[in-house]
Amino acid sequence: MTTESKTKVKELTIRGVIIGGIITLIFTAANVYLGLKVGLTFATSIPAAVISMAILRYFKDHTVQENNIVQTIASAAGTLSAIIFVLPGLIMVGWWSGFPYWTTAALCALGGILGVTYSIPLRRALVTGSNLAFPEGVAAAEVLKVGDTHEGAADNRRGLHVIIWGAISSAFFSLLTNLKIALSSVTTAFKVGAGGTMVGTSLSLALIGIGHLVGLGVGIAMVTGMLISYGVLLPYFSSGQLDTGDFAEGVQGIFASDVRFVGAGTIAIAAIWTFLKIIAPIIRGMRESLAASRRRKAGVEVPAQERDLSLGWVVGITLALMIPIGVLLWLFLKGTPLEHHTGGLIFLSILFILALGLAVASVCGYMAGLIGSSNSPVSGVGILVAILTALVIKAVVPTGGDTKTLVAYTLFTAAIVFGIATISNDNLQDLKTGQLVKSTPWKQQVALIIGVIFGSLVIPPVLHLMNNAFGFQGAPGAGKNALAAPQASLISELTKGVFGGDIDWSRLGLGALIGVAIILIDEILRHTTSRYALPPIAVGMGMYLPITLTILIPIGATCGVVYNRWAKTRKNPETASRMGTLLATGLIVGESLWGVIYAAIVGTTGNEEPLAIVPDSWSGVSSLVGIVIFVALAAWGYRYSKQQAEA
């Protein structure tokens, strides 16, 4: 063994944990506020990586692995803020009047830590043992590697220039959209027979970058889903329903109330099928982890990059967490009309969390690998989790006359599972970053748990502040300025619908049938050709996500294919191809960083559009300006990348 291999690399350090914790406090608070205010959150890993590099570069002994730990902590905490898609429902149904600090913090922490433990055996199955893109994980790794001051080679300097150009471009364009000089999306609705549909796109350079990284296969699958939703389902469901009111709003409303649930049904079937297909790799990953642990105990040297937290620790932590979860559920039911069902309900809920947790973690991790954490439809998973939780509880507990308690208990239980979903949706991106920068997995997994704990401590007071200042629409006593919290509102209404018996199952059922058909087509393609496939989950995501998000990803994928074909003709094709990857990374970085800044401006001013200087009446001009500038920036970005590749 060489001296270099024996050198201890700084990785999980006290200063890294402190820096990650400070970034966590800021980013998590901003994400909770922005998510409740406008229904959107921003990815935190890449901004955290940039800030970490800016701070740690002043320490001579810093390492790229230590920077990775900082972004891992901040990323886990920022992602956990998506719990706001469920928890406000307890206010909306009138069960809570505020967010009890320790109960809310414990719920977030327990669900989040389970998300980490369920992600650990998935690392070998989905990260190191698959060809999933994990675009944001790759982007974060490129940022860390190019920004590493210890390796300032000429290629890295040129690559840094490409990232900076991409970041400035996307941040500048985002600023223009916030000023309303350029519109952030362009859509139009039109008639199709007796119904209608929509076409349009968001103008997001970050989505071009995501598309470049995920590839054309996923892009084609998402276009297929989009065509099913907007070309077939939306005209059909809207037929004869658009005679009055605003036509575009009517079409959008039918997409939200009907078509989107068909997409959720497709995602559900595709998720089950995907989980069944990856069970074997998961088991293989567990065996490899056990074998690595045995080799280490026997004194055999195992590469640092293969050292996960031992499976014994993972299983032990997972099972041990069922005790505080049981206590939380007991306290929730204490003194309610369902108290006499406490034992059975808690036993059932714990089994449900244990069984569903791995499936949810696997599916969310797989979706994140396909198109990235930011664009993964976690809210769709939240809908399915809430419905499934309600069905299980309804099957064993008679509704009687206390639907309110059943709905509240369902939301509380579903929130724990949703915590697993949100964390696993992000953790595997972080572990992909770690793989690419040669981090030690077990140290990164510890950092993920630390990040979850940090996030859990800051989420309750921000939620409490937002509830006191604004309240939530639909909640008792909500005022005219109440926050919409759209995902929480939808999940609450669906849960009520399950217990009230008025949920429309036909939409989910139709989606399930479409999912079965897509699975059959995908299997036929995979067994008859080696080049073509139609990933069912990607099709489901194309059906579920708004067209403005969907359409840019395949456009970005096409740009990536064209660029990479050019790169193959160069003298150094690997360097040329990497410049394209770095451009895509920069596009994601700039928009993410500006998202953090803009969230701070929104939070400080209390205004949803604090920078708008152009009136809405100029939307036609703003649309044209936006399209022209967007296309020009994207085209010049690829041209600049080619120049740097040949420099």
Side-chain angles (χ1 to χ4, degrees), residues 95-96 328-342 345 397 402 404-406 408-409:
W95 188 260
W96 280 354
L328 266 187
L329 296 175
W330 174 73
L331 291 171
F332 190 90
L333 290 169
K334 186 179 179 182
T336 71
L338 292 177
E339 189 171 17
H340 57 291
H341 291 292
T342 296
L345 270 176
V397 179
D402 193 43
K404 181 179 177 180
T405 305
L406 285 170
Y409 182 79

Side-chain angles (χ1 to χ4, degrees), residues 259-280:
V259 177
R260 206 166 193 187
F261 287 102
V262 179
T266 301
I267 288 175
I269 291 299
I272 293 170
W273 178 250
T274 300
F275 178 65
L276 292 175
K277 291 189 72 173
I278 63 178
I279 282 179

Side-chain angles (χ1 to χ4, degrees), residues 250-330:
V251 172
Q252 183 59 45
I254 290 171
F255 174 80
S257 63
D258 292 282
V259 177
R260 206 166 193 187
F261 287 102
V262 179
T266 301
I267 288 175
I269 291 299
I272 293 170
W273 178 250
T274 300
F275 178 65
L276 292 175
K277 291 189 72 173
I278 63 178
I279 282 179
I282 291 171
I283 294 173
R284 184 170 61 249
M286 290 180 177
R287 288 175 177 168
E288 290 173 356
S289 180
L290 282 171
S293 296
R294 285 195 293 266
R295 290 198 301 273
R296 289 179 65 189
K297 288 180 180 179
V300 178
E301 184 68 23
V302 176
Q305 291 77 34
E306 293 300 320
R307 299 176 188 173
D308 291 286
L309 282 175
S310 73
L311 199 58
W313 273 101
V314 172
V315 173
I317 292 171
T318 302
L319 294 178
L321 289 178
M322 295 304 116
I323 297 173
I325 286 175
V327 172
L328 266 187
L329 296 175
W330 174 73

Side-chain angles (χ1 to χ4, degrees), residues 200-274:
T201 180
S202 63
L203 298 177
S204 165
L205 288 167
L207 287 178
I208 293 289
I210 293 287
H212 182 114
L213 295 175
V214 301
L216 197 57
V218 172
I220 291 172
M222 294 187 72
V223 168
T224 302
M226 181 187 69
L227 291 175
I228 293 172
S229 282
Y230 286 89
V232 180
L233 298 176
L234 189 51
Y236 174 75
F237 287 133
S238 62
S239 181
Q241 305 295 316
L242 301 169
D243 297 330
T244 60
D246 186 284
F247 182 79
E249 283 187 10
V251 172
Q252 183 59 45
I254 290 171
F255 174 80
S257 63
D258 292 282
V259 177
R260 206 166 193 187
F261 287 102
V262 179
T266 301
I267 288 175
I269 291 299
I272 293 170
W273 178 250
T274 300

Side-chain angles (χ1 to χ4, degrees), residues 557-570:
T558 303
C559 292
V561 168
V562 172
Y563 179 88
N564 287 332
R565 284 179 180 172
W566 170 85
K568 288 179 181 178
T569 66
R570 303 298 98 186

Side-chain angles (χ1 to χ4, degrees), residues 6 27 42 70 139 166 262 300 494 566 578 607 611:
K6 291 181 180 179
F27 282 9
F42 57 86
V70 174
V262 179
V300 178
L494 286 172
W566 170 85
R578 184 168 182 249
N607 184 350
L611 301 181

Side-chain angles (χ1 to χ4, degrees), residues 79-88 107-108 415 418-419 422 459 463:
T79 300
L80 189 61
S81 62
I83 199 74
I84 62 173
F85 294 163
V86 178
L87 275 184
L107 185 147
C108 293
F418 193 69
T422 60
I459 287 173
L463 279 173

